[in-house]
Amino acid sequence: MKLVNLKDDSQQLSFAEALQIGLGRQQGLFFPAELTPLKDIPGLLAMNLIDRSAAILGHLLGDEISAQDLHDIVSRAFAFPAPLATVDDNTYCLELFHGPTLAFKDFGARFMAQCLAHFAGDRKITILTATSGDTGAAVAHAFHGLENVQVVILYPQGKISLLQEKLFTTLGGNIRTVAIEGDFDQCQALVKAAFDDQTLREDIHLNSANSINISRLLAQICYYFEAFVQLPDEARENVLISVPSGNFGNLTAGMLAKVLGLPVTGFIAATNSNDTVPRYLKDGVWDPQATVATLSNAMDVSQPNNWPRIEALIERGYLPASVLRGYAVDEDYTQVAMRQLAAKGYVSEPHAAVAYRALNALRDVQQAGIFLGTAHPAKFRESVENILGSPISLPIELAEVAGKEILSSVLPADFAKLKAYLYRELV
Ligand SMILES: *Cc1c(COP(=O)(O)O)cnc(C)c1O
């Protein structure tokens, strides 16, 4: 697979290279140099999740990973289902929260981890990343127990919920977690300083694992096919998919699935009040406002970092602009949507509710609608219980970690201290 830097055409890389460096020159995103549709869609739709996903990824990656190795990677990465729940007659939720950290980020993070381990072979590598919650947990679980990979995760001390903290700080083994006495921006600055320190980078073999890594998007393409497979035949004619969006990685993957031949009609870019994209799609002006805090906080992003990839899909003629519409949902309607879903017997959480509301606002009556369930309701227990007025139970994954001990070290937001820690632990 050949990838190009969207900011600098002259930088062309293999998948293995793009995987390992993450971002290109001038902070440019990597994008497939060419995309060709899959050949036998009906044949693919007849396969199970693992075989189909291995076939789709094999089509994209070419001969960079052998078919057998890729099948092994996919079996280890996608070790949990993505069921399509029926909400009513013609409305479905693709539940992407049955992985170890109960959020869709498990799919991308686990595939990325398996690929990095595959290409590292016998070399030792270190993954250093900062998290404000969700991604850290997905990354920690994805790499846990992988040979030759050491993981160090920085997070702001006292700024994430206790349950969220326990989800990634209790693993031990090759997963080290450091509570930084500072905020998330300071954690990110420390990671950046580490990558800028060439000697340190080489001494501990630093690799990037950030959310714009192309491997994550490729993995996420697969579950859009899985959604379609589970639709009843009569619903397959005209399908609209609503994607709750923050950095727009998930939506990019959906649109890539359509380029590859997924027979759906269109997509909705559903956002909360951080509505840069819906406004842009309406009036053509890119005008990010200050980010505001909402109930769907994983989507509190006003400068979405994957947007250039969606623009590229349209500018390069892979898809007409008309396949994508935007819709922003405010806090009141997010709550209304959660109550409407509960009245139909489906307990959901704020991110999925945003997508559900946007779907109902834009769909045609005849259209089958799928909205993505990006997180388990228990991950947002407090707001879900407040809004629905009834208690929800903790799934086994959360109940289990609740009793475990936090294994984190604590460091000040000081690069010299972090550097000393990294040498002590890893060299
Ligand atoms: C990360 C996240 C999103 C947003 O996904 P993007 O790919 O960044 O658009 C939506 N919902 C939940 C629960 C998330 O964790």
Side-chain angles (χ1 to χ4, degrees):
M1 175 180 215
K2 201 178 269 169
L3 295 141
V4 294
N5 179 338
L6 284 178
K7 285 213 178 133
D8 177 356
D9 272 0
S10 70
Q11 190 180 19
Q12 299 217 353
L13 286 79
S14 67
F15 171 69
E17 291 166 329
L19 168 76
Q20 286 166 67
I21 66 171
L23 258 185
R25 289 199 282 265
Q26 301 173 51
Q27 312 278 304
L29 299 173
F30 293 117
F31 189 81
E34 56 177 12
L35 286 164
T36 52
L38 292 155
K39 285 201 186 66
D40 179 16
I41 299 287
L44 284 169
L45 296 180
M47 295 178 180
N48 67 39
L49 171 67
I50 304 296
D51 292 348
R52 184 189 329 111
S53 301
I56 293 168
L57 291 163
H59 169 82
L60 288 164
L61 297 182
D63 56 10
E64 272 194 69
I65 303 180
S66 77
Q68 183 58 54
D69 286 350
L70 188 56
H71 197 274
D72 291 347
I73 286 173
V74 170
S75 329
R76 286 192 292 264
F78 301 170
F80 42 88
L84 189 72
T86 303
V87 171
D88 64 31
D89 257 4
N90 217 6
T91 310
Y92 307 87
C93 178
L94 179 65
E95 296 188 341
L96 299 171
F97 49 75
H98 296 282
T101 73
L102 307 171
F104 82 95
K105 293 190 172 75
D106 283 326
F107 283 92
R110 291 171 70 86
F111 180 68
M112 175 176 67
Q114 291 293 334
C115 289
L116 280 166
H118 171 83
F119 287 112
D122 296 334
R123 285 182 299 127
K124 288 197 187 318
I125 59 171
T126 300
I127 303 293
L128 175 66
T129 187
T131 185
S132 54
D134 257 12
T135 43
V139 165
H141 281 261
F143 284 99
H144 188 218
L146 286 186
E147 253 175 75
N148 294 331
V149 186
Q150 299 298 324
V151 177
V152 180
I153 299 176
L154 313 184
Y155 64 99
Q157 186 180 35
K159 299 229 161 51
I160 62 180
S161 81
L162 184 61
L163 215 52
Q164 213 165 27
E165 184 174 6
K166 290 212 168 183
L167 207 44
F168 69 97
T169 59
T170 56
L171 290 167
N174 63 329
I175 309 298
R176 292 175 180 78
T177 52
V178 183
I180 298 291
E181 296 166 334
D183 59 22
F184 176 60
D185 289 330
Q186 287 172 298
C187 296
Q188 269 195 311
L190 288 170
V191 170
K192 185 164 183 310
F195 275 90
D196 287 344
D197 183 328
Q198 178 134 10
T199 316
L200 172 70
R201 208 166 70 206
E202 284 167 11
D203 286 343
I204 66 172
H205 314 284
L206 266 190
N207 257 259
S208 130
N210 55 19
S211 61
I212 45 72
N213 197 293
I214 188 72
S215 60
R216 294 188 172 212
L217 292 186
L218 301 187
Q220 290 173 241
I221 291 171
C222 301
Y223 53 65
Y224 285 89
F225 284 87
E226 178 67 6
F228 193 84
V229 164
Q230 295 176 63
L231 278 176
D233 286 344
E234 64 277 12
R236 294 185 180 188
E237 220 30 37
N238 182 357
V239 181
L240 182 63
I241 302 183
S242 181
V243 184
S245 295
N247 273 315
F248 284 78
N250 218 352
L251 180 63
T252 308
M255 293 177 69
L256 282 166
K258 182 162 171 61
V259 174
L260 295 182
L262 181 72
V264 298
T265 306
F267 293 91
I268 300 172
T271 70
N272 58 32
S273 306
N274 296 288
D275 60 350
T276 309
V277 167
R279 281 187 291 111
Y280 175 69
L281 291 173
K282 197 155 141 255
D283 56 26
V285 184
W286 187 259
D287 180 26
Q289 311 279 311
T291 307
V292 297
T294 72
L295 290 164
S296 48
N297 55 35
M299 308 187 334
D300 291 349
V301 179
S302 53
Q303 308 211 41
N305 57 21
N306 272 297
W307 186 254
R309 286 177 165 141
I310 292 185
E311 294 248 293
L313 280 171
I314 291 166
E315 276 167 15
R316 295 177 184 215
Y318 288 115
L319 293 174
S322 58
V323 301
L324 180 63
R325 285 175 295 165
Y327 195 86
V329 179
D330 68 17
E331 295 290 273
D332 285 344
Y333 268 113
T334 302
Q335 300 189 37
V336 168
M338 283 175 64
R339 292 195 196 99
Q340 285 172 337
L341 282 166
K344 290 175 186 286
Y346 192 72
V347 173
S348 194
E349 51 74 46
H351 303 77
V354 163
Y356 175 69
R357 166 67 195 157
L359 180 64
N360 283 341
L362 297 185
R363 75 198 291 184
D364 299 337
V365 257
Q366 297 305 328
Q367 223 160 16
I370 297 176
F371 61 101
L372 302 195
T374 46
H376 194 290
K379 278 197 108 161
F380 298 91
R381 187 183 192 174
E382 229 181 86
S383 44
V384 173
E385 290 184 341
N386 283 338
I387 293 163
L388 299 184
S390 52
I392 57 172
S393 55
L394 280 190
I396 184 90
E397 290 86 344
L398 285 182
E400 265 173 20
V401 296
K404 288 192 184 160
E405 188 195 345
I406 291 175
L407 302 172
S408 301
S409 308
V410 179
L411 288 178
D414 173 348
F415 180 57
K417 296 267 165 46
L418 174 67
K419 193 167 163 173
Y421 168 88
L422 293 172
Y423 274 102
R424 199 163 62 235
E425 291 285 323
L426 301 170
V427 181

